[in-house]
Amino acid sequence: MGTDSHWFIRARLKTRQLLLLVALADEGNIHRAAQQLSMTQPAASRLLKDLEDMLELPLFERLPRGMRPTWYGETMIRHARMALDSLKQAHEELGALRTGHFGQVGVGAVASQGLRLLPPAVVQVKQEHPSLRVSIEIDSSPVLLARLEQGRLDILVCRLFAEHDKTHLRYESLTEESICAVTRPGHPLLATQALTLRELLSAGLSAGWIVPPAGSVLRHRFDLLFQQEGLAQPINTVEASALLFITRMLQQSDMIAVVGADVGHYYAAYGIVTVLPLALPCHMDAFGIITRTDRLLSPAAQVMMAALKQTCLSQHGRPLDVDG
């Protein structure tokens, strides 16, 4: 194939070939794929053969009852989806500009930064560009990273772990986050000035714990606390990550919940929970701003990135060094 960076021009790669690759991947059958694209089966077969001949690679295995992508095909299908998604976004941006809108940007964040970093940044963006459409998703880091890879989000504020593929990711670390224990206002333990985990358990003062699901960063840190203290893991637990459920459970019981410090203090400021004077000497992994290096930020995403940089400067005392 050579190393020509513009091979697709020489090959006269057609948009319909990209559409056909995606349709074949979805349908597994060239007849149904051709129907989806409103073309005849011979025309679809000819498009595919032309592409395979140009690449000098087999993209699909012909099976008795369908077709299956080869490794080469899987690669082309993945890039075809990305190219078609990019063209779709370009069309949407042009349409938005034509109607007087500035475009749209999708931002994902973990819960703590969805409460702390995003609101002032979004306020700034909407003050400067009221017609810019902003969509926010609050979820765990793995879920957000998957949506960034799919092109459903433009910017993330979350964590990046060793197991994540960082090939096409730009990451700027911000800061670590501490954790805290929260209870309902008026909880009996609030009469105690200071507690340690060992004192709490030895006195049998805990009515149970609301903890993050197994596999999450916060749960891992919580479990480590008990190991470091030589204490048995609590048995009376409820696993939950939904803050609406957690706060409601606390209001109706004497359980203790473990949450990120930013989240705990946010709800405490509104009297929904109270931060327990319990020493939990650990931090969660650092979070940061994540974008993709293989995709250019849209004008709307650049505006959001500028607002995030300014908000980071005011909250963390230093600017982000992330290219817009």
Side-chain angles (χ1 to χ4, degrees):
M1 288 189 296
T3 58
D4 184 1
S5 62
H6 295 97
W7 65 269
F8 48 86
I9 297 176
R10 174 173 50 82
R12 298 182 181 178
L13 184 67
K14 302 176 179 67
T15 304
R16 288 181 73 78
Q17 286 173 317
L18 300 180
L19 291 167
L20 178 60
L21 287 175
V22 173
L24 281 170
D26 293 340
E27 298 291 344
N29 179 285
I30 196 161
H31 177 68
R32 290 195 299 270
Q35 285 183 324
Q36 186 183 124
L37 299 177
S38 301
M39 67 172 66
T40 65
Q41 181 173 330
S45 297
R46 190 162 51 252
L47 271 180
L48 178 59
K49 184 178 184 304
D50 288 346
L51 181 58
E52 289 182 318
D53 288 347
M54 184 278 303
L55 293 173
E56 298 179 355
L57 292 169
L59 300 181
F60 286 87
E61 294 180 49
R62 276 66 171 176
L63 305 174
R65 294 190 177 182
M67 305 178 72
R68 179 172 60 200
T70 63
W71 284 109
Y72 304 117
E74 292 283 3
T75 298
M76 279 299 297
I77 290 164
R78 178 165 55 88
H79 286 282
R81 290 189 193 277
M82 290 168 56
L84 292 171
D85 284 343
S86 182
L87 289 172
K88 179 183 176 183
Q89 290 175 12
H91 183 263
E92 291 174 350
E93 285 183 28
L94 290 173
L97 290 170
R98 186 182 297 116
T99 56
H101 296 284
F102 193 74
Q104 64 181 34
V105 58
V107 186
V110 292
S112 60
Q113 297 312 301
L115 291 172
R116 182 178 181 183
L117 184 63
L118 260 57
V122 173
V123 166
Q124 178 180 327
V125 166
K126 297 301 287 184
Q127 286 175 342
E128 297 173 356
H129 303 282
S131 63
L132 192 154
R133 288 180 292 169
V134 180
S135 63
I136 302 294
E137 291 193 33
I138 307 298
D139 217 313
S140 64
S141 294
V143 171
L144 295 174
L145 285 162
R147 289 174 182 166
L148 179 70
E149 182 178 0
Q150 295 162 1
R152 295 167 59 184
L153 292 171
D154 303 295
I155 304 169
L156 304 183
V157 187
C158 65
R159 296 176 178 85
L160 190 59
F161 306 114
E163 62 270 22
H164 289 135
D165 182 3
K166 306 172 183 64
T167 307
H168 298 296
L169 297 181
R170 179 186 294 109
Y171 175 81
E172 174 70 12
S173 178
L174 291 178
T175 185
E176 293 181 329
E177 181 186 5
S178 57
I179 66 175
C180 68
V182 294
T183 64
R184 64 173 176 83
H187 192 286
L189 284 175
L190 295 173
T192 308
Q193 292 299 315
L195 276 173
T196 66
L197 202 56
R198 183 175 295 277
E199 291 169 344
L200 179 67
L201 296 178
S202 62
L205 298 176
S206 173
W209 298 84
I210 303 175
V211 297
S216 65
V217 179
L218 183 50
R219 177 63 177 275
H220 176 62
R221 291 291 187 266
F222 179 71
D223 290 344
L224 279 180
L225 280 175
F226 287 84
Q227 294 177 15
Q228 291 166 355
E229 294 290 330
L231 301 170
Q233 298 291 329
I235 298 175
N236 183 7
T237 62
V238 173
E239 292 190 2
S241 59
L243 293 169
L244 285 174
F245 173 81
I246 292 172
T247 53
R248 188 62 173 165
M249 275 292 294
L250 292 180
Q251 291 169 355
Q252 298 184 6
S253 71
D254 281 340
M255 298 188 81
I256 303 170
V258 181
V259 297
D262 285 334
V263 173
H265 288 289
Y266 172 83
Y267 282 102
Y270 290 92
I272 299 173
V273 302
T274 301
V275 177
L276 188 66
L278 174 65
L280 296 177
C282 72
H283 290 79
M284 296 169 67
D285 291 347
F287 56 85
I289 305 292
I290 303 174
T291 55
R292 290 191 65 88
T293 59
D294 56 348
R295 297 175 197 162
L296 294 175
L297 289 178
S298 67
Q302 291 179 29
V303 168
M304 176 57 73
M305 181 62 79
L308 286 170
K309 288 181 178 180
Q310 188 168 337
T311 304
C312 286
L313 180 60
S314 63
Q315 290 189 357
H316 300 294
R318 64 184 181 91
L320 278 175
D321 184 22
V322 178
D323 297 332

